[in-house]
Amino acid sequence: MGIEIERKFLLSDDSWRETVECSERIAQGYLVGAQALRDGTSRASVRVRRSGDHAWLNIKSAQLGIERAEFEYPMPLGDAEEMLATLCDGVLEKIRHHVTVDGALFEIDEFFGDNAGLVVAEIELAATDAPFPQPSWLGREVSHLVRYYNVNLIAHPYAHWTQEERDAARESSPC
């Protein structure tokens, strides 16, 4: 079984931009999305992602926190394009920037459309308690706030967030 251990952070400034190694434009949509997760009618999100000439089908368990089951499979680009256009309730678009700090890869997602203005750094770890670098631009951790999960950004985009939500205040709802 695939396991993803990922922590998410807001950014305190733009100084990370000076060290971007590469960037890729990503479009993704969900075949099983936020509503089914909230309703309890699904135990996993199912995502289609396209980046350049490549595409993947991704399945993640619906649990809150930094550790989740994750499975990812390459798929034909044409199939992904068709699914994004016809089977998804919306498409999330972003640029993912790669920044390495002391050997650790941070993926910094800069969102477009109704999520413009939202920038989140993610780091995948080998263990939940694994140490990782904390560069000066790394801000407040939002790993346990479900509104920052990509699956939720389609149904409740950043443009519709209250100031309290933007300030990353704690929330009580798990999904």
Side-chain angles (χ1 to χ4, degrees):
M1 177 170 72
I3 298 291
E4 174 190 61
I5 300 170
E6 177 181 81
R7 295 179 70 173
K8 292 178 181 265
F9 297 86
L10 298 179
L11 303 176
S12 60
D13 62 50
D14 281 343
S15 62
W16 59 269
R17 291 184 187 280
E18 301 165 8
T19 58
V20 170
E21 298 159 12
C22 65
S23 300
E24 60 185 325
R25 190 169 184 119
I26 294 172
Q28 63 189 47
Y30 291 85
L31 303 171
V32 176
Q35 188 62 46
L37 299 173
R38 278 192 298 276
D39 294 355
T41 56
S42 179
R43 296 187 322 192
S45 68
V46 180
R47 175 184 76 204
V48 175
R49 175 181 279 173
R50 179 197 72 231
S51 179
D53 294 333
H54 301 283
W56 302 266
L57 182 67
N58 176 281
I59 301 142
K60 284 189 185 183
S61 62
Q63 61 195 77
L64 186 60
I66 64 170
E67 184 176 355
R68 298 187 282 171
E70 179 183 42
F71 303 89
E72 189 165 79
Y73 307 98
M75 65 184 303
L77 183 61
D79 289 357
E81 293 288 353
E82 183 68 20
M83 289 177 170
L84 287 168
T86 63
L87 300 178
C88 298
D89 287 335
V91 176
L92 183 78
E93 294 191 81
K94 61 187 177 181
I95 289 184
R96 173 163 285 172
H97 305 283
H98 296 256
V99 174
T100 301
V101 178
D102 298 333
L105 175 63
F106 287 88
E107 295 176 328
I108 300 174
D109 290 342
E110 190 170 11
F111 294 89
F112 297 114
D114 282 344
N115 289 297
L118 179 61
V119 182
V120 178
E122 301 176 347
I123 184 168
E124 289 196 19
L125 303 170
T128 56
D129 60 351
F132 59 94
Q134 305 223 355
S136 62
W137 45 261
L138 201 63
R140 174 184 250 171
E141 185 168 7
V142 294
S143 300
H144 292 84
L145 299 177
V146 297
R147 73 178 153 273
Y148 288 94
Y149 290 14
N150 286 319
V151 68
N152 291 310
L153 292 174
I154 291 173
H156 186 51
Y158 187 68
H160 301 157
W161 289 13
T162 65
Q163 189 59 50
E164 184 176 87
E165 287 173 318
R166 288 176 183 232
D167 292 340
R170 294 233 180 265
E171 61 187 30
S172 57
S173 173
C175 285

